[in-house]
Amino acid sequence: MPVPPGCRLALDADGRASVSAWWTPVSRPYEDALPLVHRALTAGVRARVETAAAVSTDLAGMDSTTVTLIAAQHGPVTGITVHPDGITEGGDMAYARALTTSGLRRVSFPLRAEHLPFTPAADRLPATDEPAPSAVVWAMLSAQLHTAMLDGSVCHLTGDGGDNLFLAPPAHLADLARRGRLLKVAADAQAWAHLRKISPWPVLKFALRGEAARLARPWLARPPWVTTTAAAGAVNAAAGNDADAVLVADVRGAARLASADVQLADALGIELHNPYFDGALLDAVVSVPSWRRFSVRRYKPMLVDSIGDLLPEEHRQRDTKGVFAADFHHGVRANLSRVLALADARLAGMGLIDPAPLRAAVHGVALGADTIWPSLLTVMSAEMWLEAVETAPATSWGPAKEVVA
């Protein structure tokens, strides 16, 4: 089992292991946590910019825009905005153009057919320590990183992790239900259900049962192609039963996966950094009562309230982000034979998945059917990772070369 969040593993001389806590969340009023969020994020970005010769960033949604603005205060930065080929107005492009700050150079990156998810990339997918979230979009990510390097960048900052921290799902409802605040539970559940265009009854059921993890990740129910319930049970157990534990587990899991993306970028020769995964930032956010982190009426209120002085008004009022679900549908359709082959390969051979329902789901996605993307992309990323590990060039070892002074 992994070491629990906020703990350290110690091994003594006899090989005995012990686990002890070195960090636990503290409680702070919302207003007291805001300057800590500001300090942690600005310091994290500044530290990376000041130690890099040239920096690039994603420049798209509120999270990456905030990172870009902070970075531009400490050195020149190239902001790269991804957009569908031929569509240069509206969406992220409009917000990128509206951003004016010294030290920022804007670059657009058009997504073409060769960048679609599941499309083989010019660069072989590198073998990483564990499956990388970006494996299925390696054609796009590798091309974007090459664009950054051609511009001189040696360090690329992303907004990954911002959604995990600041776009809270209704896990707080379980906390409120335990405190007996049932009117607040009913009101927030109804508002969430209306926003998501779903029935409020499943939300209320999980809240009254205290199942915070299911409120945060309704897709954790075992998909039909998984042959064991062990994985889903382990994730639910690790997440805990309160919103703070869910947030810590969610950020920790996403940060661990992001380390594989860092390895992908390193294989190309560029450093990839995700400032939103910094521990000091998580400490500040998780200290606030869970119901203060949640809102269906404001977009990422804690980020805006803490960093908003850096953002132009139109960015502070933004309540949307780019959605690329259509690109995944197109990518599956364009690479259907390859995706179907992935669905019936190594994982199926190990008996971990049943390929028949997985292939049926892939056919449905190719036809445009709605799907729970996290469940599907997780198994595809794992399959692509196994393929990359098996086909990676063998490491050769030899004697160390003598260094001549």
Side-chain angles (χ1 to χ4, degrees), residues 97-175:
R97 286 200 187 95
L99 187 64
T100 56
T101 184
S102 60
L104 171 63
R105 177 174 179 267
R106 287 177 288 270
V107 172
S108 65
F109 179 80
L111 282 176
R112 302 189 174 96
E114 64 265 28
H115 303 136
L116 286 172
F118 300 104
T119 300
D123 295 289
R124 176 198 294 267
L125 180 68
T128 52
D129 290 340
E130 57 187 303
S134 295
V136 297
V137 294
W138 178 234
M140 182 275 290
L141 177 61
S142 59
Q144 181 187 1
L145 293 177
H146 278 301
T147 298
M149 290 187 292
L150 286 173
D151 198 67
S153 175
V154 297
C155 173
H156 186 79
L157 308 183
T158 84
D160 292 349
D163 285 351
N164 304 85
L165 282 172
F166 299 114
L167 198 59
H172 74 291
L173 294 178
D175 292 352

Side-chain angles (χ1 to χ4, degrees), residues 64-348:
S64 57
T65 297
T66 303
V67 167
T68 301
L69 280 169
I70 298 171
Q73 294 179 345
H74 303 284
V77 60
T78 298
I80 302 176
T81 302
V82 176
H83 63 92
D85 190 26
I87 301 178
T88 58
E89 302 295 332
D92 290 339
M93 287 296 290
Y95 285 100
R97 286 200 187 95
L99 187 64
T100 56
T101 184
S102 60
L104 171 63
R105 177 174 179 267
R106 287 177 288 270
V107 172
S108 65
F109 179 80
L111 282 176
R112 302 189 174 96
E114 64 265 28
H115 303 136
L116 286 172
F118 300 104
T119 300
D123 295 289
R124 176 198 294 267
L125 180 68
T128 52
D129 290 340
E130 57 187 303
S134 295
V136 297
V137 294
W138 178 234
M140 182 275 290
L141 177 61
S142 59
Q144 181 187 1
L145 293 177
H146 278 301
T147 298
M149 290 187 292
L150 286 173
D151 198 67
S153 175
V154 297
C155 173
H156 186 79
L157 308 183
T158 84
D160 292 349
D163 285 351
N164 304 85
L165 282 172
F166 299 114
L167 198 59
H172 74 291
L173 294 178
D175 292 352
L176 291 174
R178 277 190 290 270
R179 287 167 171 78
R181 299 178 59 180
L182 299 184
L183 291 179
K184 176 67 170 171
V185 169
D188 280 6
Q190 181 66 38
W192 174 264
H194 179 74
L195 178 69
R196 296 290 178 169
K197 297 181 173 60
I198 60 175
S199 169
W201 297 115
V203 179
L204 287 169
K205 178 183 71 174
F206 293 138
L208 296 176
R209 288 180 178 177
E211 296 184 34
R214 291 297 300 274
L215 288 163
R217 307 180 192 86
W219 59 82
L220 282 182
R222 181 169 62 93
W225 52 80
V226 175
T227 60
T228 175
T229 59
V235 173
N236 275 303
N241 290 318
D242 64 83
D244 287 348
V246 167
L247 175 61
V248 172
D250 185 46
V251 172
R252 184 173 186 247
R256 175 178 173 177
L257 292 174
S259 66
D261 279 350
V262 171
Q263 290 180 308
L264 293 182
D266 183 65
L268 298 182
I270 186 170
E271 292 185 11
L272 188 70
H273 288 275
N274 307 294
Y276 286 102
F277 288 131
D278 288 355
L281 188 55
L282 173 60
D283 175 78
V285 173
V286 79
S287 70
V288 172
S290 58
W291 49 91
R292 293 298 307 272
R293 301 193 296 259
F294 173 86
S295 176
V296 296
R297 297 172 182 86
R298 295 182 61 201
Y299 184 67
K300 300 187 177 179
M302 197 170 184
L303 178 62
V304 173
D305 291 344
S306 59
I307 310 290
D309 57 323
L310 299 178
L311 296 168
E313 179 64 23
E314 61 189 295
H315 289 79
R316 289 198 298 270
Q317 298 301 323
R318 185 174 183 178
D319 59 2
T320 60
K321 61 178 296 177
V323 178
F324 293 91
D327 294 313
F328 281 90
H329 284 285
H330 294 157
V332 170
R333 190 176 304 124
N335 300 282
L336 185 57
S337 60
R338 182 176 189 234
V339 180
L340 289 172
L342 290 171
D344 193 2
R346 295 162 182 82
L347 293 173

Side-chain angles (χ1 to χ4, degrees), residues 12-23:
D12 63 21
D14 297 324
R16 291 188 294 267
S18 62
V19 175
S20 59
W22 63 269
W23 172 84

Side-chain angles (χ1 to χ4, degrees), residues 393-398:
T395 301
S396 59
W397 298 90

